[in-house]
Amino acid sequence: MKIGILSRNKKLYSTRRLVEVCEQRGHEVRVIDTLRCYMNINSSKPEIHYRGEILEGYDAVIPRIGASVTFYGTAVVRQFEMMGVFSINESVAITRSRDKLRSLQLMSRKGLGLPKTGFAHSPDDVQDLIKMVGGTPLVIKLLEGTQGIGVVLAETKKAAESVIEAFMGLKANILVQEFIKEAGGADIRCLVVGDKVVAAMKRQGAEGEFRSNLHRGGSAELVKITPAERATAVKAANIMGLNMAGVDLLRAERGPLVMEVNSSPGLEGIEQSTGKDVAGMLIDFIEKNARPNKTRTRGQG
Ligand code: ADP
């Protein structure tokens, strides 16, 4: 097969691993810098141009689109779809997953376990918003944040009010969320491929840190997940319409709660902590499922 990996950097672990697996299996593989793809929208035949040539003959693409290039990146993926090229994650699903609020709304409609979450515009509604999510301690999240930046724990009502008002004053969009204390600064990252969790790791925040992000000094280890966690992760990826997803769960007393669904999950932490060949399983999925013009808008919203 001819497979394109849409990635800005050949040297990243995930990109390197995907290239390695493709080569081992005799596929033709190329790393395509997403931001160097350009397209002629008016042409009756959809095309992608790249450093002066036309990209042709691809059977599948694997988008690895960073949060900062979502808009341009999804336009490139969409153009591949217009050309009939199979993308492991479709552009609409990537766009959907990048909006934390929209994602939570879609998952709540399907009855998935979620932390109680509120969203408001006016500072006049802050008191009631805090009450709505069960009071303090609570977590305040910038909608545009990634890697744990813009996620704040407010322990008291006074702290919560002032942080929420400050963010609102800056016109930042924020979510207010129930704090899941019993998660103990840990979360579970489930790597979903197709309708299976192929690897799962527990990430534990550094001492005194409630955020478990590896970028914030957290550590990861292999974890055995429960059937309920497995089912929740698969359902979350499915609702978002993602064939490949990193689903982050919090272990709450009332069961697994979905915190986030990531459409370009990193492979380094999960492969190293679980010893699983996740890149191989992604390529297996492509070998089984990539057909021309197979793109369809899965999920809704
Ligand atoms: P980001 O997308 O920036 O990583 P997250 O929403 O995943 O932001 O939050 C970062 C980390 O903070 C999570 O991995 C988790 O450990 C912790 N966290 C987030 N929300 C909650 C919550 N409601 N209760 C307890 N811990 C949370």
Side-chain angles (χ1 to χ4, degrees):
M1 294 178 82
K2 185 166 170 178
I3 299 174
I5 299 168
L6 301 177
S7 167
R8 296 231 51 218
N9 186 348
K10 275 187 188 359
K11 298 197 183 101
L12 294 177
Y13 177 93
S14 306
T15 311
R16 280 194 284 116
R17 282 282 296 128
L18 290 165
V19 168
E20 187 180 282
V21 174
C22 286
E23 285 174 347
Q24 277 163 5
R25 299 196 187 179
H27 297 307
E28 187 184 333
V29 58
R30 181 167 182 190
V31 178
I32 301 166
D33 179 351
T34 325
L35 296 188
R36 294 296 305 272
C37 291
Y38 49 104
M39 43 217 151
N40 178 350
I41 311 288
N42 289 347
S43 153
S44 57
K45 182 168 159 274
E47 284 172 348
I48 294 182
H49 293 241
Y50 188 67
R51 301 176 195 264
E53 59 171 305
I54 296 180
L55 296 181
E56 274 174 325
Y58 282 86
D59 299 297
V61 288
I62 305 175
R64 310 261 344 147
I65 311 283
S68 60
V69 298
T70 300
F71 184 79
Y72 199 83
T74 49
V76 172
V77 176
R78 195 156 53 238
Q79 189 75 357
F80 273 106
E81 290 164 2
M82 299 295 149
M83 292 156 55
V85 178
F86 177 84
S87 175
I88 186 161
N89 279 338
E90 287 181 21
S91 56
V92 272
I94 300 170
T95 306
R96 199 184 278 141
S97 73
R98 286 294 153 86
D99 182 335
K100 288 189 193 195
L101 178 63
R102 182 177 177 190
S103 304
L104 291 173
Q105 287 173 316
L106 291 169
M107 290 188 283
S108 80
R109 187 177 61 183
K110 301 282 180 175
L112 273 193
L114 303 170
K116 268 185 230 155
T117 305
F119 184 60
H121 179 76
S122 167
D124 295 340
D125 300 318
V126 169
Q127 302 268 353
D128 202 35
L129 184 71
I130 293 175
K131 225 190 283 159
M132 215 172 72
V133 300
T136 50
L138 55 75
V139 176
I140 301 157
K141 295 186 185 183
L142 271 179
L143 275 186
E144 291 79 20
T146 56
Q147 303 180 346
I149 296 166
V151 180
V152 181
L153 173 61
E155 311 246 16
T156 65
K157 188 155 173 284
K158 273 273 150 282
E161 280 169 9
S162 38
V163 175
I164 296 170
E165 282 166 12
F167 277 140
M168 283 178 166
L170 292 169
K171 307 244 175 291
N173 282 316
I174 49 160
L175 289 178
V176 176
Q177 201 164 65
E178 156 195 23
F179 176 55
I180 308 299
K181 189 165 188 288
E182 64 270 27
D187 72 356
I188 309 288
R189 158 61 62 100
C190 299
L191 215 299
V192 180
V193 179
D195 53 7
K196 282 202 195 82
V197 175
V198 299
M201 65 175 168
K202 180 175 175 178
R203 296 181 298 197
Q204 179 73 55
E207 185 70 31
E209 170 63 72
F210 81 102
R211 297 169 299 177
S212 59
N213 304 70
L214 301 182
H215 288 97
R216 307 256 71 73
S219 57
E221 60 178 52
L222 176 75
V223 69
K224 194 165 163 34
I225 57 170
T226 65
E229 288 165 347
R230 197 170 284 280
T232 301
V234 169
K235 194 167 172 196
N238 196 271
I239 292 168
M240 302 305 295
L242 295 166
N243 291 314
M244 154 183 84
V247 180
D248 295 340
L249 303 176
L250 287 170
R251 282 184 161 163
E253 269 156 20
R254 61 179 190 274
L257 306 180
V258 180
M259 201 169 38
E260 192 165 32
V261 183
N262 191 319
S263 57
S264 288
L267 302 185
E268 185 166 14
I270 195 107
E271 285 198 336
Q272 286 178 354
S273 57
T274 65
K276 299 252 169 77
D277 176 12
V278 177
M281 292 187 267
L282 283 173
I283 304 301
D284 286 343
F285 182 87
I286 289 180
E287 289 168 352
K288 285 199 194 86
N289 293 282
R291 304 277 176 280
N293 298 307
K294 215 187 156 192
T295 298
R296 62 202 159 110
T297 302
R298 298 175 66 213
Q300 288 152 39

